[in-house]
Each structure stands twice: as C-alpha cells, then as structure tokens.
Amino acid sequence: MDSLHHPEAKRALRLKLRRKRFELSKQEQRQAARRLCQQLKHLPEIQRARRISLYLPVNGEIDPTPLLSWFRQRNVDVYLPVLRPLSDNSLWFVAYHANTPMVKNRFGIPEPDTRFAAQRRNRLPAWALDTLIVPLVGFDAQANRMGMGGGFYDRSLAFMRRPGPAPALIGVAHAFQQVESLPVEPWDVPLSAVVSDLGVVRAGKKKS
C-alpha cells in the first residue's frame, strides 16, 4: 500500500475509518467496549502492570474505561495522558481517580486539571509506566499503528527507539479499523500488540 506514503492518501484513510466509528450505535459501542476489555484482561502486559495509562474515548474511539473498576480491584494505579503546556506537543501522564478534577484540553478532550498542585505532583513521564493503552485510527496485521497525525504519542515515546527499559504499548481499536498494510515511518514507535473487540494482533504476527 505504497500510496499511503502520500499525505493525501493517509488523510483520506483516516477520514474513512473515523467515519465508520461515528456510524456505530451506542449499543454497538458498548458491546465493542465490553469485548475489548475481555480481550485486554487476558494480556500479560495488562495483568502484570502496576502503573498503567489509558484514555477517555472521543469521536467514536473504542472505550477502554470499563477496565477502571477491574484495575482498582487489583490496586493498579491508573493514569491519563495530558497535553504538556508550552511543549512540543508531547504528553504527561497524570494519576486518575473518580474524584480527579478534570478540564477539557484544546481538542475538547477531558484530562486531569494540572492547575491543581496535587495533580502536578501525581504526573509521570511515559518511561515510569508499565503499560500504555493507546488509541489509534488504523492498524495492520503487523501491529503497525496509524494515529491521528499529531504525533503526540510518538514524541512522548521517542525514548523507546533507544536501548533501555520501556513500557509495553498496547494499541486498541475496533476490528474494522484493521487495514491491509501501513507504511512504517522513521519516527513511529512500535506497539507490542493491537487489541480489538475481535482479537489480538502481535507485532510481526498474524491475527489470533
């Protein structure tokens, strides 16, 4: 799929896949979220994590938040991505609880409000997490990820392209977001796996 190296082709594919997400009914979204979370609970990268980040879904993204109560039962610390102010579009990860003060960022996405000192004290860089559950727009059979195009995760996780300890990266999506193949860009940070409502795709392996 060499044509996806062209920005216009990538943009068209993003729009197509996002449109398909929007077309899901609320019931279809709930069913997909339930099936996704059942798949995630069986992943070793999820089971062994003590510090994990996920995201609050927007624009039809598959919803990982049904896992929150399961994480709390297991005494797992949960974090959310927060846009770093005055930075080059990178992320902090801030502790998230039921009573965490929230604010909408410039994209309209709720995130912990770091104007509160307590929230600033509860932030971590990505390298301090065990596992990150990350959204995506498209993926292929080798667990290559197409994001929104802003590069927030790639910038925040650039350290993972160098040797050293690193968190596990788990992409999540609706199964219909899988495409034939995606080009790998030099700045892409590889995922450990992509989990959908219908299965798990491991990096370099076929769907199971």
Side-chain angles (χ1 to χ4, degrees):
M1 227 170 180
D2 291 338
S3 61
L4 284 180
H5 282 287
H6 298 294
E8 286 302 321
K10 235 179 201 181
R11 194 172 298 118
L13 180 59
R14 279 195 182 98
L15 287 172
K16 175 185 174 183
L17 293 172
R18 291 181 70 196
R19 193 177 302 119
K20 288 182 77 171
R21 293 190 320 206
F22 277 122
E23 291 170 355
L24 293 174
S25 68
K26 284 186 169 63
Q27 182 180 2
E28 288 170 327
Q29 285 277 13
R30 284 194 296 270
Q31 289 173 343
R34 187 173 65 250
R35 290 193 294 261
L36 169 77
C37 291
Q38 288 304 316
Q39 301 272 3
L40 286 168
K41 286 178 182 179
H42 292 96
L43 252 60
E45 294 94 336
I46 301 294
Q47 292 180 347
R48 65 175 175 247
R50 308 321 304 161
R51 289 176 169 178
I52 196 164
S53 81
L54 46 72
Y55 64 90
L56 303 182
V58 294
N59 301 324
E61 290 172 336
I62 199 163
D63 184 2
T65 61
L67 283 175
L68 284 170
S69 59
W70 186 72
F71 285 144
R72 300 269 150 73
Q73 291 167 9
R74 295 165 64 89
N75 295 315
V76 174
D77 294 327
V78 176
Y79 293 77
L80 290 179
V82 173
L83 296 183
R84 290 181 59 179
L86 308 175
S87 78
D88 55 348
N89 286 349
S90 59
L91 302 168
W92 276 327
F93 295 87
V94 178
Y96 176 63
H97 306 279
N99 58 352
T100 297
M102 303 291 284
V103 65
K104 287 189 177 180
N105 64 26
R106 66 178 184 267
F107 298 109
I109 302 171
E111 61 182 28
D113 190 348
T114 53
R115 292 175 300 180
F116 290 85
Q119 301 304 105
R120 290 196 297 274
R121 286 195 298 271
N122 286 325
R123 69 191 180 206
L124 292 176
W127 58 260
L129 297 167
D130 298 314
T131 300
L132 284 77
I133 297 174
V134 302
L136 52 85
V137 176
F139 68 99
D140 65 16
Q142 281 67 52
N144 295 314
R145 170 184 181 267
M146 174 186 282
M148 281 297 296
F152 293 95
Y153 280 97
D154 287 324
R155 287 188 190 89
S156 306
L157 300 169
F159 69 91
M160 292 181 62
R161 295 198 294 269
R162 302 184 292 271
L169 296 186
I170 307 297
V172 293
H174 297 281
F176 61 71
Q177 292 174 247
Q178 183 170 355
V179 300
E180 186 178 343
S181 67
L182 290 170
V184 179
E185 308 291 357
W187 55 83
D188 287 342
V189 176
L191 301 174
S192 307
V194 177
V195 181
S196 77
D197 48 320
L198 297 184
V200 178
V201 173
R202 285 282 176 186
K205 295 184 179 180
K206 297 295 184 184
K207 186 175 177 180
S208 63

